[in-house]
Every structure is written in structure tokens, then in C-alpha cells.
Amino acid sequence: MKPLRMIIDNAHDVATLTATSEAMQVANTQRSGRSYAWRSENLAPQVIEGTLATARFLSALVLYDHNLTAGGTVRIEYLLNDEVRYDSGPMPAASIIPLGIWRAGIDPWGAQDVSELPIRHFVAWMPSTLTNRYRVTITDPNPPVGYMQIGRIVTGSYYSPPEEMNLSFGVNLKWEDLGEHSRTESGSLRTIGEGEARLLTFNFSHLTQQELTRLSRELLRVKKRTDIYINVYPEAGGMLEAEHAFIARRADSYQHTHTRVNNFEVPGAFMEV
């Protein structure tokens, strides 16, 4: 499997944005919080464009908490001024349950393979490209609600360690149920609240001093309040990747331990926003 990838510095949050239509404003995609979202006015093809004050290298783009279906497409273009430097072409907005896993009479034909997850996202990994404008074209005639919606957009240059320094075994993912149990005076059990949030813990056990320097520079630029997109199993596909990929914040302060000659250990704990 490919090593973990993280987008730590989200260029989208400082971009100037435009959208084809805005039943809910596109600036909401720059705000952290599940109650904010961009929403189109209809199902006509939509174009979201971001302009950066200064050019920077971008290599990934995420559409997070969307309602797009397997019949939809996403096209990403990176531009330097008016010149298109990279064009992904139309890509499927979601994947369907493959044959062999699809259950006749249980799963709807064409159902997404991650439809059970409370938050779905689309991610594209691309060659590192110098750009000061990016354009996302979305088409999807199928959402039953009559509009397209995206909660957050993330784009930036991702951090990934060398394969031999990837996470150690013992990656732990906890789906934290936000409901709280409470008993009435008669002893009946009541559950207050609902919702879920993920807590991911892992460990880098074999970082050289050079790689530790790279990781420290990335993580010390941001604090615990900063949203980070983390993907433990990039390009693995299916539920394995989708469960372990989300927007999060550091749960603990950054630390590392010098365990032996030219070997450092860095623990990680991230809470879903």
C-alpha cells in the first residue's frame, strides 16, 4: 500500500472563489463545520473556480461531504494565469459496489461502495503543478434532492513519507458515538444526542533525522485549531481508504522521541472535525 498522505496547508481557504450558482454560498467551503456547505441552484453543470494571490504548487484536491453520485463526474484544471498546466479530464465522482461484493436484493444496483459512511468525499492526486488558479467542473444529473452540495474543498501540496518510513502496524480508528446514555428515575435508559466522529491514532516508528525535519516543518506550521486532510491508505479504494480518510485536527501536541542512532518516533492522534 502507498504511504500516508496529508494535506496540511489548504490553499482553498485563502483563495478568491466564484461558482456557477449559489443557493448556498461557495465561501462556505472555506469554513470548518458540518452545518456549512455550498449548494447549487439546480443540476446544471457547475464550475467552481479559485484564484490565489500568489502561485504555489498543488498536487491534490478533495471535495468533502458531498452528495454526488456514481453517475457524476469531476474535472480539475490547474492554471497559471490563463494557461492550463494540468487537466484531469472527467473523473467519476464516486465508485460503485463492485461485483462479487454487491449483494443482489440488498444493495441497490449502482449503489456507492461507501454509502454507509456519514460523510463521503472525492479525492484526486495529481502531479505537483505550479498554479495560481484552479477550476473544478462538476456534472451530476442524479442527486434526488435536485441540487449538488459540497461541505469543504481542500487543495494543496501533500506530505507523504518514504515507503520504508510509513506508519507502523497498530493504526487505530475509533468511531466515537456522540450519544450519551442517561437513566431516568425509574431506571429506563435514554440516549441523548447523536452523531459520529472519528479518532485516529498511529505511530511513525522509523523516521530518519532528515525525514523528521520534513515532518516537523510541516506540522509546526499549523496548530491544533487547523484543519488537516489525512488519508492513511491513499488510492486503496473502497471502505478501507474511505474510513481512514477525513478532515481532522491534531488531538495532541506535536512531539517526537529519539529512540536510537538516526531513528526517531512520532506519535499521531487526529480527531475528525
Side-chain angles (χ1 to χ4, degrees):
M1 292 185 179
K2 297 182 183 296
L4 163 144
R5 295 174 185 173
M6 291 189 289
I7 304 174
I8 297 170
D9 186 10
N10 184 10
H12 182 78
D13 284 353
V14 295
T16 300
L17 305 178
T18 61
T20 302
S21 67
E22 297 178 82
M24 295 172 64
Q25 61 183 355
V26 70
N28 284 343
T29 61
Q30 297 172 314
R31 302 182 66 178
S32 184
R34 302 189 189 188
S35 59
Y36 302 106
W38 164 79
R39 181 179 294 177
S40 68
E41 294 179 349
N42 50 49
L43 293 180
Q46 302 289 311
V47 178
I48 296 173
E49 187 166 318
T51 302
L52 303 172
T54 57
R56 57 192 294 180
F57 284 95
L58 305 179
S59 57
L61 188 137
V62 180
L63 305 181
Y64 194 74
D65 197 11
H66 65 70
N67 73 336
L68 306 177
T69 71
T73 63
V74 177
R75 178 185 179 186
I76 300 167
E77 295 169 276
Y78 284 158
L79 302 90
L80 188 59
N81 300 320
D82 293 326
E83 180 187 355
V84 176
R85 303 296 299 274
Y86 175 82
D87 186 346
S88 70
M91 298 176 287
S95 58
I96 63 173
I97 301 173
L99 295 175
I101 297 177
W102 179 78
R103 300 163 298 178
I106 300 176
D107 298 317
W109 178 250
Q112 296 184 46
D113 61 355
V114 296
S115 57
E116 292 83 0
L117 296 180
I119 292 178
R120 296 189 294 276
H121 80 287
F122 164 92
V123 58
W125 310 104
M126 294 160 286
S128 185
T129 305
L130 182 65
T131 179
N132 58 3
R133 287 174 55 207
Y134 54 95
R135 192 159 52 216
V136 184
T137 303
I138 308 164
T139 64
D140 195 341
N142 298 316
V145 289
Y147 55 79
M148 291 175 258
Q149 182 167 302
I150 299 169
R152 280 283 259 150
I153 297 177
V154 179
T155 189
S157 182
Y158 65 84
Y159 166 80
S160 186
E163 187 173 354
E164 66 274 14
M165 300 181 202
N166 195 25
L167 304 181
S168 303
F169 285 112
V171 173
N172 181 267
L173 180 70
K174 178 182 179 182
W175 283 92
E176 219 166 11
D177 193 318
L178 303 180
E180 295 183 3
H181 294 313
S182 177
R183 291 199 179 274
T184 66
E185 292 182 0
S186 66
S188 298
L189 185 65
R190 297 288 183 265
T191 304
I192 303 169
E194 59 183 21
E196 293 172 310
R198 284 168 275 193
L199 175 62
L200 177 71
T201 56
F202 56 76
N203 202 43
F204 288 107
S205 298
H206 306 289
L207 297 183
T208 62
Q209 182 177 340
Q210 182 179 12
E211 192 58 32
L212 175 71
T213 298
R214 280 188 67 213
L215 180 58
S216 293
R217 284 176 173 169
E218 291 285 348
L219 287 177
L220 290 177
R221 285 188 302 162
V222 298
K223 306 304 179 185
K224 289 173 72 173
R225 68 178 68 245
T226 304
D227 289 354
I228 295 172
Y229 173 75
I230 185 166
N231 191 316
V232 178
Y233 303 112
E235 301 185 57
M239 282 289 288
L240 177 65
E241 179 178 355
E243 269 199 284
H244 294 83
F246 52 95
I247 294 177
R249 293 179 187 170
R250 289 206 328 252
D252 297 323
S253 299
Y254 178 63
Q255 60 179 307
H256 48 75
T257 304
H258 194 171
T259 55
R260 59 183 184 272
V261 176
N262 198 28
N263 192 91
F264 293 82
E265 185 173 303
V266 178
F270 290 85
M271 302 174 64
E272 185 176 16
V273 299

